[in-house]
Amino acid sequence: MLRRQTIEQTMERLPQGVRRLAVQLRTPIGVDLLWSVLTDYDRLSSFIPNLSSSTLEARQGNRVELAQVGSQQLLGLRFSAAVQLELIEHRPEGLLQFRMLKGDFRRFEGSWRLQSLPDGTSLLYDLTVQGCLGMPVALIEQRLRSDLSANLLAVEREAQRRIQFDN
C-alpha cells in the first residue's frame, strides 16, 4: 500500500480567461513505471477519471498525435470536450509536452514532468487552458482544481496496480 502523499497545487489567473495550473505529487513509485503509465495512450481513459476516450492517432519518432474526449457532469448537465493533441516525448528528461492541434478550447497545452528523487519520483502536471467563448471561467477553474489532482492520483493508482499485477 502506498503511503499517502500530499499534492501541491498552484493556479495563476492570466488575461482573457486563461488559467495556468500546476499540480505536483511525490510518490515512491519509480520514473520508468510512471512513464509507461503516462504513455499508455490507448488505455488512459480506463483509469483517468472523466476521460471518456483516448486514441493514439499517429506516431512519428517521439511525436505522437492523440484524440481525447473528456466528459463530466456540471450543474446537472453532461459536458464533454474533444481535443486533438500533439505530444512530444522527451524520455531522457522525463518530459512529455502536449498542445492542442484542434478542439473545444481556445488554448490547451502543458506538460507532464517526472523527476527522480532519493525516495521516489516527483510527478508534475502543468496545464495552461483557455475555455471557449461562453464557457464560464470560474466553473472551469473549480473543476480543473479537483480534476488535476484526481488525474495525478489515478496515474499513481494505475502504476501501483501494475506493480501488484506483475508480482
Side-chain angles (χ1 to χ4, degrees):
M1 193 70 192
L2 289 174
R3 58 188 186 275
R4 182 50 29 232
Q5 304 296 326
T6 57
I7 293 180
E8 297 172 33
Q9 191 174 90
T10 60
M11 190 196 61
E12 269 181 274
R13 289 181 171 93
L14 302 172
Q16 298 173 319
V18 175
R19 296 295 183 264
R20 181 166 182 259
L21 294 102
V23 187
Q24 182 176 26
L25 171 72
R26 293 170 68 109
T27 177
I29 297 173
V31 168
D32 291 337
L33 180 53
L34 290 168
W35 183 266
S36 73
V37 169
L38 287 173
T39 58
D40 192 357
Y41 302 117
D42 285 327
R43 291 200 59 248
L44 292 175
S45 61
S46 71
F47 57 88
I48 300 284
N50 300 318
L51 187 59
S52 304
S53 69
S54 178
T55 308
L56 178 63
E57 303 266 296
R59 174 185 283 282
Q60 187 171 14
N62 71 336
R63 183 186 171 279
V64 173
E65 276 192 33
L66 196 59
Q68 292 186 329
V69 177
S71 179
Q72 59 186 241
Q73 291 283 128
L74 292 175
L75 302 174
L77 302 171
R78 168 100 10 229
F79 171 77
S80 77
V83 291
Q84 176 118 24
L85 299 173
E86 175 188 59
L87 294 95
I88 308 295
E89 299 174 342
H90 302 280
R91 178 60 190 96
E93 297 89 355
L95 178 63
L96 184 60
Q97 295 175 295
F98 61 88
R99 69 179 182 92
M100 185 181 72
L101 298 174
K102 62 182 177 182
D104 293 333
F105 295 92
R106 284 186 281 176
R107 186 173 173 192
F108 190 90
E109 62 193 30
S111 65
W112 288 90
R113 183 179 301 273
L114 298 165
Q115 184 178 359
S116 216
L117 302 171
D119 60 346
T121 305
S122 163
L123 175 59
L124 176 68
Y125 183 61
D126 187 302
L127 174 67
T128 301
V129 63
Q130 182 179 24
C132 302
L133 292 171
M135 209 184 265
V137 175
L139 197 59
I140 294 169
E141 184 179 303
Q142 183 182 350
R143 288 306 312 198
L144 284 173
R145 281 179 179 270
S146 62
D147 287 355
L148 296 186
S149 294
N151 290 354
L152 261 70
L153 292 170
V155 169
E156 182 185 48
R157 257 192 321 276
E158 175 63 13
Q160 181 65 28
R161 189 195 67 76
R162 292 180 186 194
I163 289 169
Q164 290 171 342
F165 186 74
D166 289 344
N167 290 335

